[in-house]
Amino acid sequence: MRRAGLPGLLLALIAGSAWAEVTLTFYAHPGARVRDGNLLFPHAFVQATGTLEDTGDTVDWAAGFTARNPGPHLLFARGDGVVELPNPRYVGEGKPYLRLTVSDAGYRAVRARADWWNTPEGWVYDLRRRNCITFIADLARVAGLQTAAEPSMKPGSFLEATAALNPAAAWRGDEAPLATEPEADPTPGGR
C-alpha cells in the first residue's frame, strides 16, 4: 500500500504544478450604445485568469486604460488617464481577440507594466494618440506578441489586425492558448 501511495503522491504533485498557469485574454468592447443610462464608448482591455505556479495564488484580474475625467474636452486636449478594473459584466460583454498562456514572470511583467500606466510618467491620456489601444498594445508586447500599427481609435480593428500577426494566439474559442515568455526588458518607456 505504501509503495503504491508514494508514486501516486508524486504524480499528483507533478500534475498539480502542470495545471498552474495564467492566461491573458485581450478584448475589445463595443461602443456607441447606452446601458444603464451610460453611453458606452469602444474600449480595449486585458483579463488574466488562472493560478500562479510558484505560489498557487489564484489570478483574476482585468484592466483597461481610460480618461480619468471623460468628456468632450478630450477631443481637443490631453488629460489624465487611469488604469481601471472592469467589472465581470463588462468583461462578459467584450469580444475576445487574443489569448495566450504566460509564465508567472510573464504575468508579473504585464501587471508591473499596467501599474506603470498609473504613475505620473504613464498616466497621460490622449484620445487620438495614447488611449486604451496604446495601453493594450504595450501590454501585448510585454507578453511577447507583435502588435498592429498604432494609434487607433477602433479597438476591435486594432485587435483583429494584431491577431492576424499572431495566429497562434488568435481567439478560436475553447482551444488551448499559446504559451509564451515575456520580452527580456519590459521597462517603462522601452517601447
Side-chain angles (χ1 to χ4, degrees):
M1 183 98 171
R2 287 184 184 171
R3 286 184 189 182
L6 183 58
L9 177 61
L10 289 175
L11 182 60
L13 290 173
I14 292 169
S17 66
W19 290 325
E21 62 184 26
V22 175
T23 300
L24 297 177
T25 307
F26 292 85
Y27 291 87
H29 199 279
R33 63 192 181 98
V34 176
R35 181 178 46 123
D36 300 333
N38 296 310
L39 176 62
L40 298 178
F41 294 95
H43 190 52
F45 58 95
V46 64
Q47 180 184 38
T49 57
T51 305
L52 293 172
E53 184 174 352
D54 61 0
T55 64
D57 291 343
T58 300
V59 172
D60 187 9
W61 170 80
F65 184 69
T66 190
R68 186 176 302 274
N69 298 304
H73 65 283
L74 293 173
L75 294 171
F76 309 104
R78 299 168 89 172
D80 290 346
V82 63
V83 175
E84 288 191 340
L85 310 178
N87 66 45
R89 178 179 177 190
Y90 192 84
V91 172
E93 293 171 347
K95 179 180 178 185
Y97 285 86
L98 294 155
R99 182 175 65 171
L100 66 151
T101 299
V102 294
S103 66
D104 290 4
Y107 166 69
R108 288 186 177 107
V110 167
R111 284 293 301 265
R113 187 60 179 174
D115 290 345
W116 176 84
W117 281 73
N118 265 339
T119 68
E121 292 177 299
W123 69 27
V124 173
Y125 182 89
D126 184 319
L127 181 62
R128 290 183 177 84
R129 292 176 192 84
R130 198 164 191 284
N131 55 29
C132 65
I133 297 167
T134 314
F135 172 76
I136 290 303
D138 190 27
L139 298 187
R141 286 188 296 269
V142 169
L145 298 175
Q146 292 181 329
T147 58
E150 309 166 49
S152 172
M153 289 180 45
K154 296 181 179 179
S157 297
F158 169 79
L159 284 172
E160 189 173 288
T162 297
L165 294 172
N166 302 277
W171 180 262
R172 290 180 180 70
D174 292 332
E175 296 176 15
L178 169 74
T180 67
E181 288 298 318
E183 292 179 9
D185 184 21
T187 56
R191 284 160 190 59

